[in-house]
């Protein structure tokens, strides 16, 4: 009887020690976060801020003859209805917060999908001999072809120039470099402390590392880089730090990953799990 009592006691002590481990498994069901939605802020050069979101199609502003129309599907378009000269030309900025994304059609017909935690600055109507916009963050461009007016994207150290094409630019400040991926057509890359410009062909990615100041061009699967437009996140052999950045800006959750490696640990050759 004493032996049985002892065994039963050991069983209950062991079970109590196991309970915290079992409870820790269920933390994944407690942490529930929602993905982003279509929302942004339109900032005019005069300092006016207009909230943009999904809803009814309506005109939200008129800027020197350019109508700003919010679309019910989660986008906004700039329609030039006034004088196409330099009179009344102003810049606007679309600011997309974390957990958001937004679509904008510029006055020349160029369409831009702006990812979360990003901002795009552009003229309400283009003038002169170029069409130039500034990007902080990430955006996918479908540029309306115009051989007389090349389209330029200034993204940090990188300058992307096109006539008409589809490409994506990633200039998040938290990342170590600036990237551009060409989906269709051709683009010319300048800046990045390069002695000469580089012309990309479809399927190529160019990366400029800010720390090493080196530029690398390689072939990639472009679907992986534009999947977020279809509300999907695709990662294929990406750096763990870049994956965490993407999850943070889309879900608005701060993720911390601590890797504890002993001095004699074997080398890690495969992708992170």
């Amino acid at each position: 009887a004493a032996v049985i009592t002892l065994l039963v006691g050991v069983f209950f002590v062991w079970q109590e020690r196991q309970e915290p481990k079992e409870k820790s498994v269920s933390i994944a069901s407690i942490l529930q976060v929602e993905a982003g939605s279509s929302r942004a802020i339109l900032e005019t050069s005069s300092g006016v801020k207009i909230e943009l979101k999904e809803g009814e199609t309506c005109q939200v502003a008129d800027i020197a003859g350019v109508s700003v129309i919010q679309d019910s599907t989660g986008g906004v378009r700039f329609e030039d209805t006034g004088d196409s000269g330099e009179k009344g030309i102003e810049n606007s900025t679309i600011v997309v917060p974390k957990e958001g994304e937004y679509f904008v059609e510029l006055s020349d017909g160029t369409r831009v999908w702006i990812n979360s935690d990003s901002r795009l600055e552009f003229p309400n109507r283009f003038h002169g001999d170029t069409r130039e916009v500034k990007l902080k963050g990430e955006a996918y461009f479908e540029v309306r072809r115009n051989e007389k007016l090349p389209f330029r994207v200034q993204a940090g150290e990188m300058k992307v120039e096109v006539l008409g094409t589809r490409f994506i630019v990633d200039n998040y400040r938290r990342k170590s470099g600036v990237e551009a991926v060409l989906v269709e057509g051709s683009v010319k890359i300048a800046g990045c402390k390069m002695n000469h410009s580089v012309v990309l062909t479809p399927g190529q990615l160019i990366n400029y590392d800010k720390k090493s100041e080196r530029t690398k061009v390689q072939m990639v699967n472009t679907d992986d880089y534009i999947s977020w437009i279809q509300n999907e996140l695709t990662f294929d052999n990406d750096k763990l730090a870049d994956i965490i950045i993407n999850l943070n800006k889309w879900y608005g959750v701060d993720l911390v990953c601590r890797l504890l490696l002993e001095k004699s640990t074997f080398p890690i050759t495969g992708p992170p799990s």
Side-chain angles (χ1 to χ4, degrees):
V3 174
I4 295 175
T5 303
L6 177 61
L7 291 175
V8 172
V10 171
F11 172 77
F12 280 110
V13 171
W14 175 83
Q15 188 179 37
E16 288 179 0
R17 292 183 177 181
Q18 293 302 312
E19 284 183 355
K21 295 183 179 180
E22 293 177 357
K23 291 181 179 178
S24 65
V25 176
S26 64
I27 191 170
S29 63
I30 299 175
L31 181 60
Q32 296 182 354
V33 293
E34 295 183 357
S37 59
S38 296
R39 55 197 178 96
I41 299 294
L42 168 63
E43 296 182 356
T44 68
S45 57
S46 59
V48 177
K49 296 183 179 181
I50 302 172
E51 182 181 5
L52 303 173
K53 56 184 179 180
E54 295 179 334
E56 296 181 358
T57 300
C58 61
Q59 181 173 324
V60 296
D62 185 293
I63 307 173
V66 177
S67 296
V68 184
I69 302 174
Q70 177 181 273
D71 195 282
S72 59
T73 58
V76 66
R77 63 181 184 270
F78 287 70
E79 295 185 355
D80 189 355
T81 60
D83 183 8
S84 60
E86 297 186 10
K87 181 180 178 180
I89 295 174
E90 297 183 13
N91 280 6
S92 291
T93 303
I94 300 290
V95 181
V96 181
K98 288 183 178 181
E99 302 179 71
E101 64 170 352
Y102 215 72
F103 164 81
V104 57
E105 182 174 320
L106 305 181
S107 60
D108 68 330
T110 293
R111 306 200 298 171
V112 188
W113 286 260
I114 309 171
N115 209 340
S116 60
D117 197 18
S118 304
R119 58 188 296 131
L120 181 72
E121 181 181 349
F122 53 91
N124 296 320
R125 63 162 61 93
F126 294 103
H127 67 283
D129 54 0
T130 61
R131 297 171 289 168
E132 186 167 338
V133 302
K134 296 180 180 179
L135 172 69
K136 291 183 179 180
E138 184 177 20
Y140 171 69
F141 295 81
E142 289 187 355
V143 177
R144 176 65 64 87
R145 187 171 184 83
N146 187 336
E147 296 181 359
K148 297 180 179 180
L149 294 176
F151 192 95
R152 295 174 180 171
V153 180
Q154 180 71 50
E157 294 85 352
M158 184 177 290
K159 297 179 182 179
V160 184
E161 180 174 326
V162 301
L163 298 176
T165 185
R166 297 191 295 146
F167 63 97
I168 189 167
V169 179
D170 186 342
N171 179 36
Y172 278 112
R173 61 183 179 276
R174 291 177 59 186
K175 288 191 174 181
S176 60
V178 186
E179 290 183 346
V181 179
L182 179 62
V183 179
E184 181 182 280
S186 65
V187 298
K188 182 172 69 175
I189 307 296
C192 299
K193 298 186 178 181
M194 296 186 298
N195 296 326
H196 60 280
S197 60
V198 175
V199 178
L200 298 184
T201 58
Q204 283 189 324
L205 172 148
I206 183 170
N207 175 276
Y208 170 71
D209 189 284
K210 299 176 184 178
K211 294 182 180 179
S212 65
E213 297 184 354
R214 293 182 178 179
T215 302
K216 180 180 179 181
V217 178
Q218 65 187 81
M219 294 297 297
V220 296
N221 181 0
T222 58
D223 292 340
D224 293 344
Y225 291 84
I226 63 175
S227 61
W228 57 269
I229 300 174
Q230 282 78 40
N231 295 322
E232 294 180 354
L233 295 178
T234 303
F235 304 106
D236 184 8
N237 202 29
D238 291 288
K239 294 180 180 179
L240 180 59
D242 291 342
I243 294 175
I244 290 177
I245 290 174
N246 277 280
L247 294 177
N248 169 260
K249 64 184 175 58
W250 187 243
Y251 290 96
V253 175
D254 290 327
L255 302 176
V256 179
C257 179
R258 294 186 176 92
L259 299 178
L260 302 179
L261 302 178
E262 295 183 1
K263 198 170 185 179
S264 302
T265 304
F266 61 90
I268 299 175
T269 57
S273 59

